[in-house]
Amino acid sequence: MSARAPRPPAGRPSAMHPATPRKGSAGKSAPGKAAAGVVAHPVIAAKPAASRTPGGKPRAAPPARSAVSLQQRLAAYGEVALVLQGGGALGAYQAGVVQGLDEAGIRPTWVAGISIGAIHCALIAGNPPQRRAARLREFWDRVTRPPLLPATPWEQEPWLSMLSPEALRWLAPLQSLRALSEGQRGFFVPRPLPGQGPDQASLYDTAPLRASLEELVDFDLLNSGAMRVSVGAVNVRTGNFEYFDNTEQRLGPEHFMASGALPPGFAAVRIGDEYYWDGGLVSNTPLMQVLGGHPKANTLVFQVDLWSALGELPRSLLDVPGRVKDIQYSSRTRAVTDLLQQAHEQRQVLRDLLARIPASRRTGDALCRKVEAMARDMRYNVVQLIYRDKPYDGQDKDYQFGRASMRAHWDSGMQAVRRTLQHAQWLDLPSAEQPFVTHDMHRAADE
């Protein structure tokens, strides 16, 4: 994982105790077939909300439609992807999103992540659908237990469930201080002294994380092909960003640990003859891995970000480091969507040019076949869920691993999914005229 460690949510205990999946909701999702990975779950058509084209201009709200089931909407997509950003303790927000999607019957066919997002990819793909939320809960329950000194009375039941968000203003600094001095159970522990060599040059030892992954993840299932998995890391020697993908190689604990090895907190992880650091050093979101290249299927993406590029101006020197992190680790979604929109326009030009070549000449021509593959008409829909800072969040928010903070983040993620799914039309397949669209609940509310 990265030094951006996970944190606990404050508030509702139910956030950590997901509802038992409905009977019959479990099932193996087949790669490339979104309908097979979705449980029928009617969603009432909501009032059309504002959304934007990749260029940033508001799209006109579509006309009201009759209620359409979620399964019918998702059946239009060949791929349902879950894209998970890095953010340490903030990652509990992503766990809440996963639980919310699961409750709605939405099961991804492809998961891609960086740092804590990569750890979540392992927990999702390495467990059957009906056990994923429980495994995520078990992981976060484990890493939010103090490893050395006992928890304070306010971090124990039943007091924990009674804490107000205001109480976290003074509790949060204590949580981050304990993470720095004690580490986190099942995740990382302080090194007495940094050692020699790339795999020892760090402040903390992540051996506990390997043990947690080996216990909570079925790597045979993860590599079975039931779900595609992609996690990003940086080659320490070359500085190149690389993806580890289970369609190209067998993935083990070391690949997910490498994606989250943020220096100087965590040491580089050896894979083969190379050493790797946290992918967030180069790119903190794997969106391009999912949407880049030549399109193979209509794709619906749930992009879960832990850092918001939009934020307030720092009011003092103490606010500067936190704002720097937000900007450094936020997703450059607008730049990505602009690039992809240009790619779609170029594909349209190629299709128009091909149409001018007689079919008799295209048949059997290798170059024409290659261009036809590149010009394929595919649609992309990106639904963004972005963590919004709490009043008590500061520059240490990514390593506040207290259970109260973790619960607050988890609950926020679940609520974000529920509010997003109220806009049922957001999941409709984009049109040929606008083949790439993005939706953001927060941006729609601001408008």
Side-chain angles (χ1 to χ4, degrees):
M1 238 338 298
S2 85
R4 301 187 297 282
R7 7 179 189 97
R12 312 183 186 177
S14 60
M16 290 306 297
H17 298 280
T20 303
R22 291 181 295 280
K23 187 175 181 180
S25 65
K28 234 177 188 180
S29 54
K33 295 186 179 179
V38 176
V39 178
H41 183 82
V43 175
I44 303 301
K47 179 181 178 182
S51 58
R52 292 180 181 267
T53 65
K57 297 180 180 179
R59 297 176 65 208
R65 304 183 183 187
S66 58
V68 179
S69 75
L70 181 62
Q71 186 178 28
Q72 288 174 313
R73 284 187 159 94
L74 299 191
Y77 296 94
E79 201 83 72
V80 176
L82 182 61
V83 171
L84 303 174
Q85 196 183 68
L90 299 173
Y93 175 84
Q94 293 176 343
V97 168
V98 172
Q99 181 183 336
L101 293 175
D102 183 68
E103 288 177 350
I106 300 174
R107 303 232 172 87
T109 59
W110 187 355
V111 288
I114 304 290
S115 201
I116 189 65
I119 301 302
H120 287 154
C121 287
L123 293 164
I124 294 167
N127 283 285
Q130 68 274 19
R131 294 182 61 189
R132 289 169 187 163
R135 281 302 199 192
L136 285 165
R137 185 178 70 248
E138 187 174 348
F139 173 78
W140 283 99
D141 275 342
R142 176 179 305 194
V143 302
T144 54
R145 278 187 231 133
L148 296 178
L149 300 176
T152 63
W154 302 279
E155 296 177 283
Q156 301 180 19
E157 299 291 0
W159 308 110
L160 182 61
S161 60
M162 300 179 187
L163 277 177
S164 68
E166 288 300 313
L168 284 174
R169 288 183 181 274
W170 54 265
L171 187 57
L174 172 63
Q175 295 170 344
S176 56
L177 180 61
R178 293 191 66 166
L180 290 175
S181 59
E182 302 176 32
Q184 293 299 145
R185 187 187 299 268
F187 201 159
F188 59 92
V189 293
R191 290 187 188 276
L193 288 174
Q196 297 295 315
D199 57 347
Q200 299 290 318
S202 66
L203 300 174
Y204 301 93
D205 182 358
T206 54
L209 176 59
R210 174 180 283 274
S212 294
L213 289 173
E214 290 175 342
E215 179 182 343
L216 301 176
V217 176
D218 181 345
F219 284 95
D220 288 334
L221 174 61
L222 185 149
N223 289 289
S224 68
M227 177 185 292
R228 185 172 178 182
V229 182
S230 306
V231 295
V234 178
N235 185 307
V236 179
R237 182 181 61 83
T238 66
N240 293 332
F241 186 86
E242 299 180 23
Y243 274 103
F244 303 122
D245 196 299
N246 68 346
T247 63
E248 301 172 356
Q249 63 191 117
R250 180 178 175 84
L251 302 184
E254 62 278 7
H255 296 93
F256 301 93
M257 295 174 66
S259 182
L262 185 67
F266 301 155
V269 175
R270 182 174 179 173
I271 298 176
D273 295 328
E274 300 287 353
Y275 286 88
Y276 294 86
W277 273 335
D278 192 306
L281 292 174
V282 172
S283 173
N284 200 35
T285 181
L287 184 61
M288 278 300 294
Q289 171 69 1
V290 173
L291 298 184
H294 301 319
K296 296 181 180 178
N298 295 329
T299 303
L300 172 63
V301 178
F302 290 95
Q303 178 181 329
V304 191
D305 290 350
L306 302 177
W307 306 89
S308 175
L310 182 65
E312 297 182 0
L313 291 172
R315 292 185 292 273
S316 70
L317 186 60
L318 294 176
D319 297 332
V320 171
R323 186 68 193 119
V324 169
K325 280 186 180 180
D326 285 336
I327 295 172
Q328 180 180 358
Y329 294 122
S330 64
S331 296
R332 305 298 186 266
T333 303
R334 177 62 56 77
V336 171
T337 55
D338 286 348
L339 180 63
L340 290 170
Q341 180 65 21
Q342 292 174 11
H344 279 293
E345 292 171 357
Q346 292 167 358
R347 279 194 282 272
Q348 181 61 56
V349 171
L350 289 176
R351 287 195 294 273
D352 292 342
L353 287 173
L354 282 172
R356 299 187 179 191
I357 302 175
S360 58
R361 294 190 60 182
R362 294 201 307 265
T363 303
D365 187 280
L367 180 58
C368 285
R369 286 199 304 271
K370 186 175 181 179
V371 173
E372 285 174 351
M374 295 174 62
R376 217 174 296 163
D377 176 24
M378 292 298 170
R379 322 284 173 78
Y380 292 149
N381 185 350
V382 178
V383 178
Q384 293 178 269
L385 298 102
I386 305 174
Y387 173 80
R388 288 296 178 98
D389 282 354
K390 308 290 192 302
Y392 52 83
D393 282 336
Q395 61 171 306
D396 57 351
K397 60 186 178 182
D398 52 336
Y399 54 92
Q400 280 182 17
F401 279 95
R403 185 158 298 197
S405 297
M406 179 270 293
R407 285 189 169 185
H409 300 332
W410 189 298
D411 188 63
S412 293
M414 286 198 302
Q415 296 305 320
V417 171
R418 291 166 184 168
R419 291 194 300 271
T420 295
L421 293 182
Q422 289 175 3
H423 306 296
Q425 77 282 356
W426 283 2
L427 304 187
D428 289 338
L429 183 71
S431 65
E433 294 72 30
Q434 285 186 323
F436 188 98
V437 297
T438 63
H439 302 283
D440 177 359
M441 175 190 65
H442 296 295
R443 187 166 55 194
D446 292 342
E447 294 170 352

